[in-house]
Amino acid sequence: AKLHLLHIINSCSLHFASATHHSPFPLFVSNPSTVATMVLPHPFMTKSSGAGTTITVRFPSNAAAPDEPPRFATGYWAIRGLGAPLRMMLCAAKCDHTVFLYDVVEDGDGWKSGWWKEKPQLIEKYSQPLMNLPFVADRAERRMVCQTNACMAHIAQEVGFWGSTKEEASQCEELLCEIYDVRNIMFYFAYGGDGSKEVAEKALADAKKHFAKLEAVLKLKQVKGAPTPVHLVGGKVSAPDFHFFEMLDQYSGLCSCYGLPSLLEDYPLSKAFKDGFEKLEENQFYLNSWLHTGLPHNNCMACFASLPGEGVYKHGESAEEAKAWKGKGEITMTAEK
């Protein structure tokens, strides 16, 4: 059980590039729909033997044939976690994509996962020694991208969510790193803490040091007399927006679960960002989908939000309940026109 938990922790912490092939797309994409509808050469990571659920997400506005595999596939645990910003970003770009969800299920007193069996195979098949969750399979460029911020950057660059200038691209990188610091505090609380209110209060206090910095970023973006910014970079959607939103949402849940003062009361600009960002038209499909509403924030062994909402999974008791989001096989989600 301890060994399996170590595997989970290592996998949650998270560029093999062909020497003869370079991206045909520029750093800043003016028309993301061309990325979403391009015809792919040969099958690349179209199946995953270890995934409990494989979802094909389709947007009717794209011209791609229904039987054509989408350009991008993301792989992550069957939770929101680090997979959520990637999925939300692709949905906001109205980009067809595949979602591989890897289950962790009870195995006696411990845990097992199809991911642990498939991972060595993927390392060899795709010559990617950094293979981990999350990953992004780019079927057009035929390469596997790993490590969280590299995955976010790769998708963002290809769909036009990486700023419009070199300066803005650097800001995207800076913010992703800062937000990941916030995520790590939650990770160590959820997977390494005892679930007590005292430990939750300590985690929140540590996270506020970073939220204060992000509040200051929004203050710099605010124009007198204008509405509160709903974007962190360049006045338009970018990769950091999605991870920032996810962290605000999870920490708000932490405060609610433990009866702590609302995080958002201390950071009014961050509250306005969250409220405004979740109202954007491009985010409605994802936020109303099962990927957002039906998955827990954290995995089964976490002491917080390991059930949808803020509930806690109990080994030996919650397996039946978990069937609501695990082992769903192959399904298709199609956005309305």
Side-chain angles (χ1 to χ4, degrees):
K2 291 182 178 179
L3 180 59
H4 284 162
L5 178 57
L6 180 60
H7 278 304
I8 283 277
I9 292 174
N10 288 338
S11 293
C12 288
S13 299
L14 295 165
H15 176 340
F16 160 66
S18 169
T20 59
H21 184 71
H22 300 280
S23 171
F25 302 100
L27 177 60
F28 309 111
V29 178
S30 58
N31 185 9
S33 65
T34 61
V35 177
T37 60
M38 64 179 299
V39 177
L40 305 178
H42 303 289
F44 183 89
M45 192 59 193
T46 56
K47 302 284 185 181
S48 171
S49 62
T53 304
T54 298
I55 305 171
T56 302
V57 182
R58 295 287 188 185
F59 292 88
S61 56
N62 294 335
D67 57 347
E68 285 287 339
R71 174 180 176 182
F72 296 112
T74 65
Y76 195 60
W77 302 112
I79 60 173
R80 284 167 61 176
L82 294 173
L86 296 169
R87 301 165 194 151
M88 190 176 184
M89 197 185 325
L90 286 164
C91 288
K94 292 181 169 53
C95 182
D96 291 357
H97 60 283
T98 306
V99 177
F100 294 121
L101 298 178
Y102 295 92
D103 300 330
V104 175
V105 297
E106 295 182 16
D107 182 27
D109 293 333
W111 310 95
K112 65 181 180 180
S113 174
W115 167 250
W116 296 325
K117 182 177 180 180
E118 187 180 14
K119 179 179 176 179
Q121 301 168 11
L122 296 177
I123 291 173
E124 181 176 359
K125 183 174 182 178
Y126 297 110
S127 301
Q128 176 48 292
L130 303 182
M131 195 73 214
N132 221 327
L133 299 179
F135 67 75
V136 170
D138 187 330
R139 292 165 174 152
E141 297 193 358
R142 301 184 61 74
R143 60 189 174 100
M144 193 72 73
V145 182
C146 302
Q147 299 286 346
T148 302
N149 285 350
C151 291
M152 292 189 194
H154 182 71
I155 289 176
Q157 289 169 11
E158 300 305 319
V159 303
F161 290 171
W162 199 242
S164 301
T165 65
K166 289 182 178 179
E167 180 182 3
E168 289 180 357
S170 292
Q171 291 173 5
C172 287
E173 291 180 302
E174 292 169 345
L175 286 162
L176 284 177
C177 292
E178 188 68 36
I179 296 165
Y180 202 89
D181 288 342
V182 178
R183 178 267 173 184
N184 275 345
I185 293 169
M186 175 61 75
F187 172 78
Y188 288 117
F189 163 72
Y191 293 95
D194 60 6
S196 67
K197 184 173 182 178
E198 292 74 20
V199 177
E201 288 176 323
K202 174 65 165 56
L204 182 63
D206 290 343
K208 281 186 173 182
K209 300 170 186 176
H210 300 280
F211 280 120
K213 298 179 188 179
L214 295 163
E215 180 83 358
V217 169
L218 288 171
K219 187 174 183 179
L220 288 173
K221 304 294 180 184
Q222 191 170 33
V223 177
K224 189 175 182 179
T228 302
V230 293
H231 299 304
L232 289 167
V233 178
K236 60 183 182 181
V237 65
S238 67
D241 292 343
F242 299 96
H243 204 185
F244 186 38
F245 172 82
E246 186 68 16
M247 286 295 96
L248 288 171
D249 200 42
Q250 188 168 176
Y251 275 92
S252 294
L254 180 76
C255 294
S256 175
C257 178
Y258 286 92
L260 304 176
S262 172
L263 166 76
L264 298 177
E265 288 182 4
D266 292 336
Y267 304 108
L269 296 181
S270 297
K271 181 182 186 304
F273 167 92
K274 181 178 184 294
D275 292 343
F277 192 69
E278 65 188 356
K279 291 177 182 176
L280 294 177
E281 182 280 329
E282 57 263 38
N283 291 330
Q284 297 314 298
F285 173 73
Y286 173 82
L287 291 176
N288 289 297
S289 77
W290 171 76
L291 288 170
H292 180 71
T293 62
L295 294 177
H297 281 291
N298 298 309
N299 236 324
C300 306
M301 61 290 298
C303 67
F304 165 69
S306 46
L307 292 176
E310 285 82 49
V312 178
Y313 185 103
K314 297 186 184 303
H315 195 288
E317 300 179 19
S318 302
E320 192 65 27
E321 185 177 356
K323 290 180 181 179
W325 73 89
K326 294 182 180 182
K328 309 304 286 186
E330 296 187 6
I331 59 179
T332 299
M333 294 170 54
T334 304
E336 295 181 1
K337 293 183 179 180

